[in-house]
Amino acid sequence: MRRALILLLATALAAGGCSTLNFIKRRLPPPAQGPSGVTFRFNSPSAKIVQLAGNWPENDWLRGQAQTGSFLVGAMEDPDGDGIWVRTDKLPPGRHQYKFVIDRVNWKEDPNNPQWTDDGYGGHNSVIDVR
């Protein structure tokens, strides 16, 4: 009886554990340069808004809102609601640093880009070289 109970409990835990493996993040490609610009992708299913912040002149770490009058500088889109946010920007040639801003408060480096540099605040900025 005891052995059957243990086996039943182990089976229930294994079945429940397999259905909760949502901590495994989908791997996205690093930023890709194409004819219309550089495409950035970020996985954040629970976000209400994701912004791309970077050091190129039009964005200036989201300070570009002073020039545009919008608080949504660098706003990314998730048109199909799958939690993958996308934005394509024309960037000038050179080496650029960037981060993703989730819900206007959480600044995150790109987990899909192995290139990074020190951000001067104890973290990292992701880096892309544009030709």
Side-chain angles (χ1 to χ4, degrees), residues 1-16:
M1 176 74 170
R2 188 173 195 183
R3 179 180 274 177
L5 183 59
I6 291 172
L7 182 60
L8 180 63
L9 181 60
T11 303
L13 287 173

Side-chain angles (χ1 to χ4, degrees), residues 13-108:
L13 287 173
C18 290
S19 66
T20 60
L21 288 177
N22 60 358
F23 63 88
I24 298 174
K25 299 276 185 197
R26 188 179 340 176
R27 187 84 174 148
L28 299 174
Q33 192 170 352
S36 57
V38 178
T39 300
F40 297 87
R41 292 174 186 83
F42 187 73
N43 184 8
S44 188
S46 62
K48 303 283 187 255
I49 183 170
V50 176
Q51 291 170 272
L52 173 65
N55 68 344
W56 49 95
E58 295 79 16
N59 189 293
D60 193 24
W61 298 108
L62 301 183
R63 284 184 221 119
Q65 64 195 23
Q67 290 84 7
T68 64
S70 171
F71 290 105
L72 297 179
V73 170
M76 299 181 77
E77 296 180 351
D78 179 13
D80 58 5
D82 67 351
I84 306 297
W85 297 79
V86 180
R87 181 175 177 95
T88 301
D89 274 359
K90 281 271 194 201
L91 301 182
R95 187 173 177 90
H96 303 289
Q97 298 179 36
Y98 69 96
K99 281 190 175 181
F100 297 106
V101 184
I102 298 89
D103 295 330
R104 300 186 183 179
V105 293
N106 295 318
W107 292 65
K108 303 286 184 184

